[in-house]
Amino acid sequence: KQEVTQIPAALSVPEGENLVLNCSFTDSAIYNLQWFRQDPGKGLTSLLLIQSSQREQTSGRLNASLDKSSGRSTLYIAASQPGDSATYLCAVNTGFQKLVFGTGTRLLVSP
Amino acid sequence: ETGVTQTPRHLVMGMTNKKSLKCEQHLGHNAMYWYKQSAKKPLELMFVYSLEERVENNSVPSRFSPECPNSSHLFLHLHTLQPEDSALYLCASSQDRASISEQFFGPGTRLTVL
């Protein structure tokens, strides 16, 4: 059974820092991995989608990498801003759009 | 309206009530999903619909009854719920169930069962 773990569970940094969020999964047989952002009490906003054949994806200050063989992905946020404060979720697609989610990393960026 | 919308955004109901959650997607997608997000637990996939046909039911109790009348609308009918069913219910859609497709989520309905 696929399990997804996100470390750390919570992270607090001052504005301007570069930071890395980690996601690991137990079964490397995935089709893609998606990073989402969730603001308190709100739905999910898709940030980056990495197909299993890709190693990384970039969007603005965000860069996500995928190492399928080791079951790991990282989300790198450059020059963090208070507006980046949210919970970040990763999810692996095990086929036919069955997403298995981690419990998330709650990020707080202080001005 | 754009993207995926959900109504109501908040719902409080007693255990003997019957209510329905509504989801609508304006993306021309053919697959829709219901998820449950409880405190301190990962999102759990509940139901999957593809071209209006239910293709997945992840051992969800029968007090939750989904309905997909067309490819743009998805409902979750609720009856005789339990307090532990209180959670954020999220709807999502994707172009199809191909593994390369991306899922887009609605804002969710915050459900409280008294």
Side-chain angles (χ1 to χ4, degrees):
Chain A
K1 180 187 171 187
Q2 177 75 266
E3 292 184 1
V4 179
T5 303
Q6 290 187 247
I7 294 174
L11 182 62
S12 183
V13 300
E15 182 176 6
E17 272 202 11
N18 302 323
L19 55 99
V20 175
L21 307 181
N22 297 292
C23 173
S24 61
F25 45 96
T26 55
D27 188 341
S28 62
I30 66 169
Y31 288 84
N32 58 52
L33 183 146
Q34 211 167 339
W35 282 95
F36 295 90
R37 169 189 172 134
Q38 185 175 31
D39 292 286
K42 303 288 180 61
L44 277 62
T45 301
S46 180
L47 298 174
L48 290 164
L49 172 70
I50 312 177
Q51 301 295 346
S52 61
S53 58
Q54 298 174 320
R55 298 284 291 185
E56 65 179 305
Q57 281 285 343
T58 298
S59 176
R61 294 183 293 108
L62 305 180
N63 176 278
S65 68
L66 175 64
D67 184 341
K68 207 173 78 157
S69 60
S70 68
R72 293 181 183 181
S73 176
T74 61
L75 179 67
Y76 175 82
I77 302 177
S80 58
Q81 303 171 357
D84 295 329
S85 299
T87 296
Y88 291 81
L89 299 168
C90 75
V92 296
N93 185 341
T94 60
F96 295 106
Q97 289 296 319
K98 291 188 72 171
L99 298 187
V100 179
F101 282 82
T103 50
T105 293
R106 191 169 63 254
L107 173 65
L108 176 63
V109 182
S110 306
Chain B
E1 295 275 20
T2 59
V4 181
T5 58
Q6 290 186 243
T7 55
R9 295 295 309 277
H10 301 272
L11 178 63
V12 179
M13 60 187 290
M15 290 192 286
T16 57
N17 291 159
K18 289 185 180 181
K19 296 286 184 182
S20 295
L21 310 184
K22 178 183 176 182
C23 174
E24 184 173 1
Q25 58 93 3
H26 310 266
L27 301 168
H29 288 170
N30 293 309
M32 297 186 77
Y33 313 82
W34 277 117
Y35 288 87
K36 176 183 179 182
Q37 187 177 32
S38 304
K40 304 208 187 300
K41 292 177 67 176
L43 268 82
E44 303 169 61
L45 179 64
M46 300 175 71
F47 300 104
V48 179
Y49 275 82
S50 177
L51 296 171
E52 301 144 47
E53 179 183 343
R54 190 193 312 179
V55 295
E56 195 86 29
N57 175 348
N58 277 357
S59 303
V60 180
S62 59
R63 57 186 183 268
F64 295 91
S65 175
E67 178 190 4
C68 187
N70 55 61
S71 60
S72 299
H73 293 86
L74 185 65
F75 294 89
L76 188 62
H77 303 300
L78 316 171
H79 63 98
T80 57
L81 294 191
Q82 305 297 312
E84 60 264 28
D85 296 322
S86 298
L88 182 67
Y89 288 84
L90 293 162
C91 173
S93 71
S94 63
Q95 181 59 51
D96 48 41
R97 294 189 72 213
S99 297
I100 64 170
S101 294
E102 185 176 351
Q103 288 190 28
F104 295 84
F105 283 76
T109 295
R110 171 69 62 185
L111 174 67
T112 302
V113 182
L114 301 176

